Amino acid sequence: MSSWLVRGVVLTAAIVLASAWASGWQRFTWGARFGTFGSAVAVLGAGLVWRHHQQWARAPGRHGAAPLPAVNRAGAVAWLAVVLVAAGWDVLGLLTPPNRHHLTLSAMELAYRPLHALLFACWLAIGWVLASEPTRRHGPSRP
Amino acid sequence: MNSPSRLGPVFDVGARSLSVVIGSNKLVGLAFWLAVIAALGALEAFSHLSRWPVPSAGDMVARYLGHPVVRAGAVALWLFAGYHLFSH
């Protein structure tokens, strides 16, 4: 079994376990606060360590900066469209009259424990991407 | 039920329209958010597993959130989202 596969399995198992653990938290408790921000610190720390190890494997771009990935515009628009539809739904859900169920993300994850766990896993994955992807640093000006 | 929000008539009309169209069935809300998560997962899967030219989430972050200050802002927003959704 390749090391990449082992790492993927371990990471997935850790996220699943953490998400199942998180689904039992009660809001406004110290357990939820420590659990949330402890998980955030762990994910950000692991992502930064991963980035540090990976930066030597990447080919340097112009002026020594990390090369920018090629992003297909139509693909980027697809990501943006999904995010905008979700954001629009959430804003409209906030304005739902008080005597009706609010269909916002936070209201739904409160109502459904499995969604809470799934959302927590997605949140951890987003944190991993934010921490592990390289940032650009401005190199010396072009001669 | 028809109390106006503070965000103006456009948002009021939008919210009422949404209520009329989808009602306030929690299962509809659950289905919508599961569909959003599935769509994002499908985009990520396509970016890795197919020849369809879709960038991965990592490519999008590296390309559009590459500046350290912008990345720090994104991390702060991510932390606030975690606070709001899971501990607040």
Side-chain angles (χ1 to χ4, degrees):
Chain A
M1 191 180 291
S2 70
S3 62
W4 282 97
L5 188 57
V6 171
R7 286 175 190 169
V9 169
V10 170
L11 187 63
T12 303
I15 287 178
V16 168
L17 287 175
S19 302
W21 173 51
S23 68
W25 293 342
Q26 297 294 323
R27 285 187 175 192
F28 303 105
T29 62
W30 284 108
R33 293 181 189 120
F34 280 123
T36 300
F37 288 105
S39 301
V41 168
V43 165
L44 292 178
L48 289 174
V49 169
W50 177 264
R51 184 202 300 181
H52 179 73
H53 282 292
Q54 290 294 307
Q55 69 180 359
W56 303 109
R58 293 174 188 263
R62 185 173 293 175
H63 307 309
L68 285 177
V71 171
N72 175 273
R73 185 156 295 189
V77 168
W79 280 96
L80 186 63
V82 175
V83 171
L84 286 180
V85 167
W89 177 286
D90 212 49
V91 169
L92 293 177
L94 283 173
L95 300 172
T96 305
N99 59 341
R100 290 172 174 262
H101 290 300
H102 286 205
L103 305 182
T104 60
L105 183 60
S106 57
M108 288 299 99
E109 62 94 12
L110 269 180
Y112 297 100
R113 186 171 165 171
L115 181 63
H116 184 287
L118 181 62
L119 201 59
F120 191 78
C122 293
W123 182 72
L124 291 180
I126 292 170
W128 168 265
V129 171
L130 287 174
S132 63
E133 285 298 321
T135 55
R136 292 196 301 277
R137 289 181 174 80
H138 296 292
S141 59
R142 191 178 299 180
Chain B
M1 177 175 173
N2 292 323
S3 59
S5 74
R6 296 174 185 170
L7 296 180
V10 173
F11 283 99
D12 287 342
V13 170
R16 288 192 193 121
S17 302
L18 186 71
S19 295
V20 168
V21 172
I22 65 173
S24 59
N25 190 332
K26 286 200 294 183
L27 285 177
V28 175
L30 176 66
F32 174 81
W33 288 112
L34 287 177
V36 167
I37 293 171
L40 294 176
L43 286 172
E44 182 71 14
F46 271 126
S47 71
H48 293 289
L49 302 177
S50 80
R51 288 188 164 189
W52 198 37
V54 174
S56 68
D59 289 342
M60 296 283 287
V61 166
R63 181 72 179 79
Y64 297 113
L65 303 177
H67 193 283
V69 175
V70 178
R71 185 72 61 85
V75 170
L77 189 63
W78 174 77
L79 285 171
F80 175 76
Y83 166 74
H84 173 65
L85 289 172
F86 308 119
S87 69
H88 174 60

